[in-house]
Amino acid sequence: IGNGVDLELTEPFRSGVAFHDQTPLFDVICNSMQAIEPHSIVAPYMQTGGTDARFLTNRDIQVYGFVPMRYEPGLDFFALCHGHNERISVANVQFAVRVLFDIVQKLSM
């Protein structure tokens, strides 16, 4: 930006958060996905955006951001994500509800 400009942090730096994938919840997510979509693979990944997960790190709560979706040929997911015309198909909503319902049922046993 050039000479004569001073930068000052007004908030302290917050490091990212990480959650273990060796938990009963993660196991149930994997089991539900295998039951409903046998060829699926559930894999942890790093989200590069921001979340509210940092507020839960000291409360012994695992945050996964799990959103079950099926790939739909011809649909440019990343062009629709957070765009003016963001949407998913009814079939994907039904799939997600089925998976999430299965997870809740298994955790309630």
Side-chain angles (χ1 to χ4, degrees), residues 14-25:
R14 291 188 193 135
S15 61
V17 295
F19 298 95
H20 296 284
D21 62 337
Q22 305 286 318
T23 66
L25 174 57

Side-chain angles (χ1 to χ4, degrees), residues 43-58:
Y45 69 96
M46 181 178 75
Q47 179 180 343
T48 57
T51 73
D52 291 332
R54 69 180 182 263
F55 300 114
L56 303 171
T57 57
N58 296 327

Side-chain angles (χ1 to χ4, degrees), residues 2-108:
N3 295 329
V5 176
D6 293 328
L7 298 176
E8 178 182 339
L9 290 175
T10 58
E11 294 184 22
F13 173 78
R14 291 188 193 135
S15 61
V17 295
F19 298 95
H20 296 284
D21 62 337
Q22 305 286 318
T23 66
L25 174 57
F26 198 84
D27 290 343
V28 169
I29 290 171
C30 292
N31 291 337
S32 291
M33 284 301 298
Q34 284 297 302
I36 295 169
E37 192 70 34
H39 299 292
S40 66
I41 298 171
V42 178
Y45 69 96
M46 181 178 75
Q47 179 180 343
T48 57
T51 73
D52 291 332
R54 69 180 182 263
F55 300 114
L56 303 171
T57 57
N58 296 327
R59 291 184 164 75
D60 196 29
I61 297 173
Q62 299 296 310
V63 179
Y64 293 130
F66 176 69
V67 181
M69 287 182 60
R70 285 185 172 136
Y71 171 74
E72 295 180 279
L75 183 67
D76 187 356
F77 173 77
F78 290 105
L80 296 174
C81 185
H82 300 304
H84 295 292
N85 198 14
E86 183 173 10
R87 66 189 181 284
I88 63 171
S89 68
V90 171
N92 250 327
V93 171
Q94 291 169 333
F95 173 71
V97 168
R98 185 173 167 211
V99 171
L100 295 172
F101 184 76
D102 191 69
I103 291 167
V104 170
Q105 278 188 312
K106 287 176 178 167
L107 287 171
S108 299

